[in-house]
Amino acid sequence: MRLFVAVNFPARLRQKIARLCRPLEEAGIPGRWTEADQVHLTLKFIGEVPAADVEPISEALQQVAGSFRPFEMRFGPIGAFPSPRRPRVVWLGVEQTPELRFIKDDLERRLAELGIEREARPYQPHVTLGRAPREAEAGEFRRLEELSLIHISEPTRRNQSSR
């Protein structure tokens, strides 16, 4: 079973985030755009896990999620990995708050206790808006930097960290 841990947003916010893809599509920026029901903030990609290991992971996630109070999340501008000129992923930034950092650290520590390798790269919170096709030409993304100024200013409160 392929697992990842994510913050699942309320339906209204997922729809609002998914609507950010419209101006990108209308500008002709190529991509497979995220549907509202797939919008989330990934905290940890775990990967393939045997069915027998799911229950201990689920219990660990419940412990981590239950140890935090609701907190506010702020969204930033649109960006791209590795760059807006030649993206593989187009994303909506999420402000790195102390609460989010504590959840991520606790999650990594608790999962490491179960033998799941810690993430080596620094955590860069974001919501994936879309993925660029490999065959797309760099020139097709010219308007991405201009459109990257679009963002959501409405903060949201979250306390669930598993999906």
Side-chain angles (χ1 to χ4, degrees):
M1 184 177 305
R2 190 169 186 230
L3 300 180
F4 68 97
V5 181
V7 174
N8 191 17
F9 302 117
R12 187 172 146 253
L13 180 58
R14 287 194 315 263
Q15 291 167 355
K16 189 173 186 177
I17 291 171
R19 280 195 301 268
L20 292 174
C21 297
R22 272 194 220 142
L24 302 171
E25 275 185 290
E26 290 169 1
I29 297 171
R32 291 181 317 275
W33 304 106
T34 304
E35 298 293 328
D37 63 340
Q38 297 295 313
V39 169
H40 62 273
L41 170 64
T42 300
L43 294 171
K44 171 87 173 160
F45 178 74
I46 297 174
E48 290 296 325
V49 173
D53 293 345
V54 172
E55 185 61 31
I57 291 170
S58 178
E59 289 172 10
L61 297 179
Q62 288 176 15
Q63 289 172 356
V64 171
S67 67
F68 289 91
R69 291 191 164 143
F71 64 95
E72 207 169 81
M73 273 188 181
R74 295 195 183 275
F75 297 91
I78 291 173
F81 294 133
S83 77
R85 293 180 192 270
R86 189 67 173 176
R88 285 191 317 255
V89 174
V90 178
W91 47 260
L92 174 65
V94 176
E95 182 181 319
Q96 176 78 279
T97 63
E99 295 90 350
L100 191 55
R101 200 168 27 254
F102 292 145
I103 288 172
K104 176 67 171 155
D105 290 347
D106 282 2
L107 177 66
E108 289 286 354
R109 179 188 51 76
R110 187 67 182 93
L111 292 176
E113 292 170 3
L114 298 175
I116 297 169
E117 193 173 323
R118 289 179 181 258
E119 179 63 51
R121 296 175 295 182
Y123 181 57
Q124 190 168 0
H126 65 279
V127 176
T128 298
L129 296 177
R131 298 186 182 280
R134 293 186 190 272
E135 66 277 359
E137 299 291 327
E140 295 178 80
F141 300 101
R142 276 190 293 268
R143 298 223 31 229
L144 185 56
E145 285 187 86
E146 170 191 330
L147 293 169
S148 70
L149 301 175
I150 300 169
H151 67 277
I152 291 183
S153 58
E154 174 184 310
T156 186
R157 293 177 62 84
R158 295 303 309 146
N159 68 347
Q160 295 295 323
S161 60
S162 63
R163 180 172 188 200

